[in-house]
Structures are given as structure tokens and as C-alpha cells.
Amino acid sequence: MSADVTALASQALILKALALFAVIACTTRFITGKNYSASPSSHGDTSRVATYPYWIPYLGHLLPLMVNPARFLQKCRQQSADRVFALYLFGSKYNILWTPASFNAIFKTPSDAISSVETRWYLLRNVFGAGTKCEKDYLRIHKSAHAAVQNGLFPPTATPSSLMMQTTLRGIQENAPSLVSFSDSVVDQNLWERTAYPVIRGSAVEISLSTLIRNFIGHVSLPSLVGSEFLEVYPTTLDDLWHLDGGLKWLALGVPRWLGIPALTRAHIGRRRLLDTVRSFHQALDCVEDDDPPNRPWRDPSDAGRILKERRRVYRSRGTPQEIIAPLDLSLLWAMTTKSSYLVFWLLISIWATPGLVDQVRNEVGPYATARQPPRTFGIPEPPCLGLDTDGLVKSCPLLKACFYECIRLYSASISIRTVRKDMLFRGMDGNGVEISRYPLDAGSIIAAPFSLHHFDPNYFKDPNRFQPMRFLKPSEDGQGQQTFVEGTIKHWGMGESACPGREYAEKQVLAFVAGILALWDFEPADAKGWIVPDQIERAVISVPAADVRVRIRPRELP
């Protein structure tokens, strides 16, 4: 009898809690909805940025942002009467911008009223595992570490191609002819194709394209940063990076691991291994710097890229603690691998899925991505020779570059965030730079510019959900000459002080990979339905395919 009474009491308590939660949620939604509706249009006036209605106090818009952030933000943009709206998350107000004029007004003019340092430290701590007590150390060295990236990519005395770009190009030329091995034995397959499940189909190899491309890009491009030995010593590096990227949003939100979310668990495991690897690598670099034998299992890490070596010297000269060194370089490792890897996949699948486009691109890049078959030596076939001219690809291939920018527009998920350090007045501008509104922003609030909101705005891009690279091409005046590439209002590498320092290197790298693969290989869909571009799942900096695509790859007939 007492057990029944206890059960009934527990049920009644649960019902009361649910009823209280419902009352709080409905009241919150009513108040925030009323405030949103009452917010005046600010054309010509000064008024607060209207906060979109939400249901749950403190958490605010967390749930819709977790379920489908892109769709939710598009909905907010469509329903906003102004060029800025606000979201509420974890007790903070986020002022959301989406027009080019707003981007320029905030990010292009330096101001001590806003800063990106707080956001960088938050991500370094939550995502990349920096010690919580190391914020002062980070503030002391972050500018020097950032400058080391700039100097490593574009040294003051460098030739037109930096040493890092030269290393990457050499890797593409040596490895692109072996993109697939045509081997049934896992032992004889390339490291980058093993997890893509290759199957020999006559003169072709059927394989999972996304997995193949992202692993290939990682194996070829990482040595320019960490040297040739890194992936040999720790072959799980790339898998751990993909796991870290897959759980990044949960890490960024500070979701506890004990909730058992699979992506979050994999991200924690991958991050721990990556941090251990980077720490061990740093010890080896210190030994080389001191002319001592490197610690095991390293043999000779001296061919590491200039970026890491310069950053290491900065860390040592400033007495930077280990709790922040490894997370800083892990963030660099992630940033220089993830976006480029998936961009090459999206470019290849989009080019092949558009009828006639692959032939047009090949004709355009032909002078700058040359492939030939050397004569046999003693009856043994030699691998094809690939020549790449990155300056020519960037400056003289407008169609390829238009395809690149269209994929950036469709699949990039870049966002710029600033913390408002002191009260300021944000002046909203129209497309001609004329002030049309003013918004007071309070210290402690956040300014966020998710650039995909602009990239899918039909006011700027007709049919924004379709792959149409021609939107970035301007016909010649007489209609007979070569078309000209026009960047337009695309914002894909961030803006202002937090803009990606490696954007020029990344563009050359992606174009070189795509041009080299198109010069050497023919693709065809394994599915009888033909080419199908997969749906995308939005990640931190670029979307990933919701499902892999099986393709058949065969070598081209070369002169």
C-alpha cells in the first residue's frame, strides 16, 4: 500500500514539474514574442535589435540551433524586418548580421569596442582542450603565434610560391597518379584508399569518393605542415581529426561527455590522442633544436614546416606552458586540413554532376595541369607525369575558380564572431553605403555573422540552392573573348583580424588538387541512376556529405 502511495506521489511530482515547465515556457514565449512584435522598424531611427522569440529561459534558441541551424537562421532572416536580428543563447544576446554592408561596417574598420580574442580563447579551451587557467598565457602569445602562420605561408623573402606550397605541389605530382592502386590486397593499397572500400571492376576501381578524397588530401597536404614522418608515426591522425570535427559543435557548447552522445565521445577520444601526439612531436622538435637525438618513436622530424618551427620558437622564448601549446597547434592542424579536404570533394562531385562541365574545365586548365605518359623502361610502365602551375590556375582559369567559389557559397559554414567590449552604436548601411538605421549594442553582447545567411539570400544570388558557377563569370565586352571571374559579395574566409591567414594558400591548394585529379582520372557514377550530389550536413567550417558516393575511377588515356 505504501509503495502505491509513493508511486502516485512521484507521478504527481513529475506532473507538477512538467506543468510548471510548460507554464514557464509558454510565459517566456508570450513575453519574447510580444517584445519582438513590438520592436519598431529602425529605418532612420535608433532602436534595440529585435530578439527572435524563444521558449526556454537562459537556453534561449539552443534547441532549434542544434536541430537544424541553417534552416532556423534562414527562417529568422526571412521574418526579420531589419538587416539585423538577435538570438538568445546561454544568457547572452547574439546580434546576427547577414548583409555585405553590415559585414563591412563591423569587420573592416578596426575598433577597440569589439574583439575576437574572447571567442578564440573559448574555442581553444572548449574544443581543443586548452587548460582553463592559461588564458593570460594565451593573450600574451596569440598574436605572435598568428604572425608565425603568416610568415610560414608567405615569408618576406619567399618566391611566388611559398616553401609550404611547393611541398604540397610536389606531393600532388608524386601521389595523384596513384590515387587508386588497383590492388585487392589491403597491404598493397595506399593508406588513403583502404577505408574507402575499393573494389576492382575490370579497368576501373569502385570506391567511396568522399572518404577517398578527404584521406588523400590529408596524406598529401599534412607533410607540408608537420613533415613526412608524422603520419607514419601516428597513422590514426586523420581519423582522429575527422572525429574531432564531427563532435566539434558539442565540444563548443560544453556538453558533458557523460551524456553519451556518440559523436561527442569519439571527439573526446580523438582529441586526447591528437594532443598526446602533438606534445610528443613538440618534444622531438625541441631535441632537434638542441642538437639532441629526438625522443622515441621519432627518428628525424627536422622536415617539419616553417610554421610549426617558428611557433615553437615563440612558445619557448615566452615560456608558454604545455597546457596551451598542444591545443594551439592542434587547432592549426584541424583548420588546415578539414575545409580543404571536403572542398575538393564538393568541387569534383559538382563538376562531374553538371553535364558538359568537366570537359569545359579540362579544356581551360589544360595549359596549367599537364599530364603525359612516359615511355616504358625495360617494358615496365612508368607512372604518369603531372605538371601544375598554381599561378596559372588562379589567374587564368575563371571557370574553375567560379566553380570553386560556387562550392564555397553552397557548402562553406564560416562565421565571424566578435564580443562587444564596451557600449557602441552600430550603423546599418544600405548597398550604397548610406546609413539607414542605428542600433545600440551593449557591452557583453555578441556580434555574429554566419556568412551562409548571405550566401543563400535570393536578393543577392538567384536560385541560391542550385550549383550555378556562371554567376561568378562576367562576359567579355564583345562577347567573343574569355569570361572574367567576379568574386562579388562572397565572404568565405572570415573578415577583419580573424580572417583566415591561409586563404590564398588554401585556394591554390584546392585548385591544384582538383586540376591534377581531372587531368589524370575519369570518374563515373556506380549508381545506375547517374550522378547524385548528396545532401549536406553542416559542420563548423564546411558541410560534409550526408552519405558517401560510390564512383568508378579509371585512368585517362594520356599522350
Side-chain angles (χ1 to χ4, degrees), residues 283-285 287-288 292-296 298-301:
Q283 293 173 10
L285 289 179
C287 291
V288 172
D292 293 328
N295 53 296
R296 293 184 178 181
W298 306 97
R299 299 183 302 275
D300 182 15

Short mmCIF file of all heavy atoms in Angstrom, two decimals, residues 283-285 287-288 292-296 298-301:
data_model
loop_
_atom_site.label_atom_id
_atom_site.label_comp_id
_atom_site.label_asym_id
_atom_site.label_seq_id
_atom_site.Cartn_x
_atom_site.Cartn_y
_atom_site.Cartn_z
N GLN A 283 58.21 17.68 -28.31
CA GLN A 283 59.42 17.25 -27.62
C GLN A 283 60.51 16.88 -28.63
O GLN A 283 61.70 17.19 -28.43
CB GLN A 283 59.11 16.06 -26.72
CG GLN A 283 58.20 16.40 -25.55
CD GLN A 283 57.76 15.16 -24.77
OE1 GLN A 283 58.28 14.06 -24.99
NE2 GLN A 283 56.81 15.32 -23.87
N ALA A 284 60.09 16.22 -29.72
CA ALA A 284 61.06 15.84 -30.75
C ALA A 284 61.65 17.08 -31.42
O ALA A 284 62.86 17.14 -31.70
CB ALA A 284 60.40 14.94 -31.78
N LEU A 285 60.81 18.09 -31.69
CA LEU A 285 61.31 19.33 -32.30
C LEU A 285 62.28 20.05 -31.36
O LEU A 285 63.28 20.62 -31.82
CB LEU A 285 60.13 20.25 -32.63
CG LEU A 285 59.22 19.83 -33.79
CD1 LEU A 285 58.09 20.84 -33.97
CD2 LEU A 285 60.02 19.69 -35.08
N CYS A 287 64.25 18.59 -29.22
CA CYS A 287 65.50 17.84 -29.27
C CYS A 287 66.31 18.22 -30.51
O CYS A 287 67.53 18.41 -30.44
CB CYS A 287 65.21 16.33 -29.27
SG CYS A 287 64.54 15.69 -27.71
N VAL A 288 65.64 18.33 -31.65
CA VAL A 288 66.32 18.72 -32.88
C VAL A 288 66.90 20.12 -32.75
O VAL A 288 68.04 20.39 -33.17
CB VAL A 288 65.35 18.64 -34.08
CG1 VAL A 288 65.98 19.24 -35.33
CG2 VAL A 288 64.94 17.20 -34.34
N ASP A 292 70.02 17.37 -30.12
CA ASP A 292 69.98 16.10 -29.40
C ASP A 292 69.17 15.09 -30.21
O ASP A 292 68.35 15.47 -31.06
CB ASP A 292 69.32 16.27 -28.02
CG ASP A 292 70.15 17.12 -27.09
OD1 ASP A 292 71.40 17.07 -27.22
OD2 ASP A 292 69.57 17.84 -26.26
N PRO A 293 69.36 13.79 -30.00
CA PRO A 293 68.53 12.79 -30.68
C PRO A 293 67.07 12.94 -30.26
O PRO A 293 66.78 13.16 -29.07
CB PRO A 293 69.11 11.45 -30.19
CG PRO A 293 70.47 11.77 -29.67
CD PRO A 293 70.39 13.18 -29.14
N PRO A 294 66.15 12.86 -31.20
CA PRO A 294 64.73 13.01 -30.85
C PRO A 294 64.22 11.86 -29.99
O PRO A 294 64.75 10.75 -30.04
CB PRO A 294 64.03 13.05 -32.21
CG PRO A 294 64.96 12.34 -33.13
CD PRO A 294 66.34 12.61 -32.64
N ASN A 295 63.20 12.16 -29.20
CA ASN A 295 62.59 11.13 -28.37
C ASN A 295 61.87 10.10 -29.24
O ASN A 295 61.40 10.39 -30.34
CB ASN A 295 61.60 11.77 -27.40
CG ASN A 295 60.57 12.64 -28.10
OD1 ASN A 295 60.95 13.65 -28.70
ND2 ASN A 295 59.31 12.28 -28.06
N ARG A 296 61.80 8.87 -28.77
CA ARG A 296 61.07 7.83 -29.48
C ARG A 296 59.58 8.14 -29.45
O ARG A 296 59.08 8.70 -28.48
CB ARG A 296 61.33 6.47 -28.85
CG ARG A 296 62.77 5.99 -29.02
CD ARG A 296 62.94 4.59 -28.47
NE ARG A 296 64.32 4.12 -28.66
CZ ARG A 296 64.74 2.90 -28.29
NH1 ARG A 296 63.90 2.08 -27.72
NH2 ARG A 296 66.00 2.56 -28.50
N TRP A 298 60.08 9.05 -32.66
CA TRP A 298 60.51 9.91 -33.76
C TRP A 298 61.96 9.61 -34.14
O TRP A 298 62.80 9.32 -33.29
CB TRP A 298 60.38 11.38 -33.36
CG TRP A 298 59.01 11.72 -32.88
CD1 TRP A 298 58.59 11.78 -31.59
CD2 TRP A 298 57.88 12.00 -33.70
NE1 TRP A 298 57.25 12.09 -31.55
CE2 TRP A 298 56.78 12.24 -32.83
CE3 TRP A 298 57.67 12.07 -35.06
CZ2 TRP A 298 55.52 12.54 -33.28
CZ3 TRP A 298 56.40 12.39 -35.53
CH2 TRP A 298 55.34 12.61 -34.65
N ARG A 299 62.23 9.70 -35.46
CA ARG A 299 63.60 9.48 -35.96
C ARG A 299 64.23 10.81 -36.41
O ARG A 299 65.33 11.14 -35.99
CB ARG A 299 63.58 8.48 -37.12
CG ARG A 299 63.06 7.11 -36.74
CD ARG A 299 63.15 6.14 -37.92
NE ARG A 299 62.41 6.62 -39.08
CZ ARG A 299 61.10 6.42 -39.27
NH1 ARG A 299 60.40 5.76 -38.36
NH2 ARG A 299 60.50 6.87 -40.36
N ASP A 300 63.50 11.53 -37.28
CA ASP A 300 64.05 12.81 -37.77
C ASP A 300 62.89 13.72 -38.19
O ASP A 300 62.48 13.72 -39.35
CB ASP A 300 64.98 12.56 -38.95
CG ASP A 300 65.60 13.86 -39.46
OD1 ASP A 300 65.53 14.88 -38.73
OD2 ASP A 300 66.13 13.87 -40.59
N PRO A 301 62.35 14.51 -37.25
CA PRO A 301 61.24 15.41 -37.59
C PRO A 301 61.69 16.76 -38.12
O PRO A 301 60.93 17.73 -38.13
CB PRO A 301 60.53 15.57 -36.24
CG PRO A 301 61.65 15.52 -35.25
CD PRO A 301 62.67 14.56 -35.82
#
